[in-house]
PDB file of all heavy atoms in Angstrom:
ATOM      1  N   ARG A 144       5.104  -0.245 -12.618  1.00 92.00           N
ATOM      2  CA  ARG A 144       5.480  -0.222 -14.036  1.00 92.00           C
ATOM      3  C   ARG A 144       6.996  -0.317 -14.207  1.00 92.00           C
ATOM      4  O   ARG A 144       7.492  -0.980 -15.130  1.00 92.00           O
ATOM      5  CB  ARG A 144       4.952   1.060 -14.679  1.00 92.00           C
ATOM      6  CG  ARG A 144       3.444   1.030 -14.910  1.00 92.00           C
ATOM      7  CD  ARG A 144       2.928   2.377 -15.340  1.00 92.00           C
ATOM      8  NE  ARG A 144       1.514   2.331 -15.713  1.00 92.00           N
ATOM      9  CZ  ARG A 144       0.727   3.386 -15.776  1.00 92.00           C
ATOM     10  NH1 ARG A 144       1.208   4.591 -15.491  1.00 92.00           N
ATOM     11  NH2 ARG A 144      -0.542   3.255 -16.122  1.00 92.00           N
ATOM     12  N   LYS A 147       8.001  -3.979 -13.656  1.00 94.00           N
ATOM     13  CA  LYS A 147       7.638  -4.830 -14.796  1.00 94.00           C
ATOM     14  C   LYS A 147       8.593  -4.603 -15.966  1.00 94.00           C
ATOM     15  O   LYS A 147       9.035  -5.568 -16.607  1.00 94.00           O
ATOM     16  CB  LYS A 147       6.198  -4.548 -15.214  1.00 94.00           C
ATOM     17  CG  LYS A 147       5.710  -5.513 -16.288  1.00 94.00           C
ATOM     18  CD  LYS A 147       4.280  -5.246 -16.675  1.00 94.00           C
ATOM     19  CE  LYS A 147       3.836  -6.226 -17.757  1.00 94.00           C
ATOM     20  NZ  LYS A 147       2.478  -5.946 -18.231  1.00 94.00           N
ATOM     21  N   TYR A 148       8.894  -3.350 -16.243  1.00 94.00           N
ATOM     22  CA  TYR A 148       9.847  -3.024 -17.320  1.00 94.00           C
ATOM     23  C   TYR A 148      11.196  -3.681 -17.020  1.00 94.00           C
ATOM     24  O   TYR A 148      11.813  -4.277 -17.902  1.00 94.00           O
ATOM     25  CB  TYR A 148      10.003  -1.511 -17.428  1.00 94.00           C
ATOM     26  CG  TYR A 148      10.881  -1.055 -18.578  1.00 94.00           C
ATOM     27  CD1 TYR A 148      10.327  -0.628 -19.777  1.00 94.00           C
ATOM     28  CD2 TYR A 148      12.275  -1.060 -18.461  1.00 94.00           C
ATOM     29  CE1 TYR A 148      11.123  -0.222 -20.839  1.00 94.00           C
ATOM     30  CE2 TYR A 148      13.080  -0.665 -19.512  1.00 94.00           C
ATOM     31  CZ  TYR A 148      12.505  -0.236 -20.695  1.00 94.00           C
ATOM     32  OH  TYR A 148      13.298   0.159 -21.739  1.00 94.00           O
ATOM     33  N   LEU A 149      11.638  -3.569 -15.775  1.00 95.00           N
ATOM     34  CA  LEU A 149      12.945  -4.105 -15.381  1.00 95.00           C
ATOM     35  C   LEU A 149      13.009  -5.614 -15.568  1.00 95.00           C
ATOM     36  O   LEU A 149      14.000  -6.148 -16.082  1.00 95.00           O
ATOM     37  CB  LEU A 149      13.221  -3.746 -13.921  1.00 95.00           C
ATOM     38  CG  LEU A 149      14.546  -4.263 -13.346  1.00 95.00           C
ATOM     39  CD1 LEU A 149      15.686  -3.353 -13.776  1.00 95.00           C
ATOM     40  CD2 LEU A 149      14.491  -4.357 -11.835  1.00 95.00           C
ATOM     41  N   VAL A 151      11.435  -7.698 -17.583  1.00 94.00           N
ATOM     42  CA  VAL A 151      11.553  -8.103 -18.985  1.00 94.00           C
ATOM     43  C   VAL A 151      12.877  -7.626 -19.579  1.00 94.00           C
ATOM     44  O   VAL A 151      13.566  -8.359 -20.303  1.00 94.00           O
ATOM     45  CB  VAL A 151      10.369  -7.554 -19.811  1.00 94.00           C
ATOM     46  CG1 VAL A 151      10.478  -8.009 -21.266  1.00 94.00           C
ATOM     47  CG2 VAL A 151       9.044  -8.012 -19.214  1.00 94.00           C
ATOM     48  N   ASP A 152      13.265  -6.401 -19.243  1.00 95.00           N
ATOM     49  CA  ASP A 152      14.487  -5.815 -19.796  1.00 95.00           C
ATOM     50  C   ASP A 152      15.727  -6.590 -19.381  1.00 95.00           C
ATOM     51  O   ASP A 152      16.657  -6.756 -20.184  1.00 95.00           O
ATOM     52  CB  ASP A 152      14.590  -4.355 -19.339  1.00 95.00           C
ATOM     53  CG  ASP A 152      15.699  -3.608 -20.069  1.00 95.00           C
ATOM     54  OD1 ASP A 152      15.636  -3.553 -21.319  1.00 95.00           O
ATOM     55  OD2 ASP A 152      16.608  -3.083 -19.405  1.00 95.00           O
ATOM     56  N   ARG A 153      15.752  -7.069 -18.134  1.00 95.00           N
ATOM     57  CA  ARG A 153      16.916  -7.827 -17.662  1.00 95.00           C
ATOM     58  C   ARG A 153      17.098  -9.124 -18.450  1.00 95.00           C
ATOM     59  O   ARG A 153      18.226  -9.545 -18.747  1.00 95.00           O
ATOM     60  CB  ARG A 153      16.773  -8.135 -16.174  1.00 95.00           C
ATOM     61  CG  ARG A 153      16.955  -6.940 -15.256  1.00 95.00           C
ATOM     62  CD  ARG A 153      18.320  -6.315 -15.423  1.00 95.00           C
ATOM     63  NE  ARG A 153      18.639  -5.393 -14.345  1.00 95.00           N
ATOM     64  CZ  ARG A 153      19.050  -4.153 -14.506  1.00 95.00           C
ATOM     65  NH1 ARG A 153      19.164  -3.654 -15.740  1.00 95.00           N
ATOM     66  NH2 ARG A 153      19.345  -3.376 -13.490  1.00 95.00           N
ATOM     67  N   GLU A 155      16.162  -9.572 -21.561  1.00 95.00           N
ATOM     68  CA  GLU A 155      16.639  -9.169 -22.888  1.00 95.00           C
ATOM     69  C   GLU A 155      18.138  -8.871 -22.857  1.00 95.00           C
ATOM     70  O   GLU A 155      18.877  -9.255 -23.763  1.00 95.00           O
ATOM     71  CB  GLU A 155      15.864  -7.945 -23.360  1.00 95.00           C
ATOM     72  CG  GLU A 155      14.418  -8.246 -23.729  1.00 95.00           C
ATOM     73  CD  GLU A 155      13.682  -7.025 -24.220  1.00 95.00           C
ATOM     74  OE1 GLU A 155      14.233  -5.904 -24.103  1.00 95.00           O
ATOM     75  OE2 GLU A 155      12.551  -7.167 -24.717  1.00 95.00           O
ATOM     76  N   ASP A 421       0.792 -11.085 -19.796  1.00 81.00           N
ATOM     77  CA  ASP A 421       1.566 -10.334 -20.782  1.00 81.00           C
ATOM     78  C   ASP A 421       2.924  -9.916 -20.218  1.00 81.00           C
ATOM     79  O   ASP A 421       3.064  -9.687 -19.016  1.00 81.00           O
ATOM     80  CB  ASP A 421       0.784  -9.088 -21.249  1.00 81.00           C
ATOM     81  CG  ASP A 421       0.727  -8.010 -20.186  1.00 81.00           C
ATOM     82  OD1 ASP A 421       1.719  -7.277 -20.040  1.00 81.00           O
ATOM     83  OD2 ASP A 421      -0.309  -7.868 -19.515  1.00 81.00           O
ATOM     84  N   ILE A 422       3.935  -9.862 -21.100  1.00 83.00           N
ATOM     85  CA  ILE A 422       5.281  -9.493 -20.655  1.00 83.00           C
ATOM     86  C   ILE A 422       5.837  -8.349 -21.492  1.00 83.00           C
ATOM     87  O   ILE A 422       7.038  -8.254 -21.719  1.00 83.00           O
ATOM     88  CB  ILE A 422       6.247 -10.698 -20.693  1.00 83.00           C
ATOM     89  CG1 ILE A 422       6.254 -11.355 -22.080  1.00 83.00           C
ATOM     90  CG2 ILE A 422       5.909 -11.714 -19.630  1.00 83.00           C
ATOM     91  CD1 ILE A 422       7.328 -12.401 -22.262  1.00 83.00           C
ATOM     92  N   TRP A 423       4.960  -7.440 -21.932  1.00 79.00           N
ATOM     93  CA  TRP A 423       5.445  -6.276 -22.657  1.00 79.00           C
ATOM     94  C   TRP A 423       5.996  -5.261 -21.655  1.00 79.00           C
ATOM     95  O   TRP A 423       5.641  -5.262 -20.473  1.00 79.00           O
ATOM     96  CB  TRP A 423       4.337  -5.648 -23.493  1.00 79.00           C
ATOM     97  CG  TRP A 423       3.201  -5.071 -22.698  1.00 79.00           C
ATOM     98  CD1 TRP A 423       2.183  -5.748 -22.113  1.00 79.00           C
ATOM     99  CD2 TRP A 423       2.989  -3.700 -22.368  1.00 79.00           C
ATOM    100  NE1 TRP A 423       1.342  -4.903 -21.449  1.00 79.00           N
ATOM    101  CE2 TRP A 423       1.812  -3.635 -21.587  1.00 79.00           C
ATOM    102  CE3 TRP A 423       3.667  -2.516 -22.677  1.00 79.00           C
ATOM    103  CZ2 TRP A 423       1.305  -2.430 -21.104  1.00 79.00           C
ATOM    104  CZ3 TRP A 423       3.161  -1.328 -22.186  1.00 79.00           C
ATOM    105  CH2 TRP A 423       1.996  -1.303 -21.416  1.00 79.00           C
ATOM    106  N   LYS A 424       6.884  -4.398 -22.136  1.00 78.00           N
ATOM    107  CA  LYS A 424       7.541  -3.423 -21.256  1.00 78.00           C
ATOM    108  C   LYS A 424       6.765  -2.103 -21.267  1.00 78.00           C
ATOM    109  O   LYS A 424       6.730  -1.419 -22.301  1.00 78.00           O
ATOM    110  CB  LYS A 424       8.980  -3.180 -21.691  1.00 78.00           C
ATOM    111  CG  LYS A 424       9.870  -4.404 -21.566  1.00 78.00           C
ATOM    112  CD  LYS A 424      11.338  -4.060 -21.725  1.00 78.00           C
ATOM    113  CE  LYS A 424      11.672  -3.580 -23.123  1.00 78.00           C
ATOM    114  NZ  LYS A 424      13.116  -3.356 -23.324  1.00 78.00           N
ATOM    115  N   PRO A 425       6.138  -1.713 -20.164  1.00 76.00           N
ATOM    116  CA  PRO A 425       5.426  -0.438 -20.126  1.00 76.00           C
ATOM    117  C   PRO A 425       6.386   0.736 -20.159  1.00 76.00           C
ATOM    118  O   PRO A 425       7.487   0.664 -19.615  1.00 76.00           O
ATOM    119  CB  PRO A 425       4.669  -0.499 -18.791  1.00 76.00           C
ATOM    120  CG  PRO A 425       5.490  -1.399 -17.941  1.00 76.00           C
ATOM    121  CD  PRO A 425       6.091  -2.422 -18.877  1.00 76.00           C
ATOM    122  N   LYS A 426       5.993   1.811 -20.795  1.00 68.00           N
ATOM    123  CA  LYS A 426       6.822   3.015 -20.856  1.00 68.00           C
ATOM    124  C   LYS A 426       6.651   3.831 -19.586  1.00 68.00           C
ATOM    125  O   LYS A 426       5.589   3.866 -19.008  1.00 68.00           O
ATOM    126  CB  LYS A 426       6.457   3.852 -22.079  1.00 68.00           C
ATOM    127  CG  LYS A 426       6.720   3.129 -23.402  1.00 68.00           C
ATOM    128  CD  LYS A 426       8.192   2.852 -23.586  1.00 68.00           C
ATOM    129  CE  LYS A 426       8.466   2.185 -24.928  1.00 68.00           C
ATOM    130  NZ  LYS A 426       9.862   1.846 -25.109  1.00 68.00           N
TER     131      LYS A 426
END
Side-chain angles (χ1 to χ4, degrees):
R144 286 171 173 161
K147 187 179 180 184
Y148 184 98
L149 179 80
V151 181
D152 190 58
R153 288 301 194 232
E155 289 181 350
D421 72 80
I422 54 171
W423 65 282
K424 295 192 294 185
K426 297 296 182 183

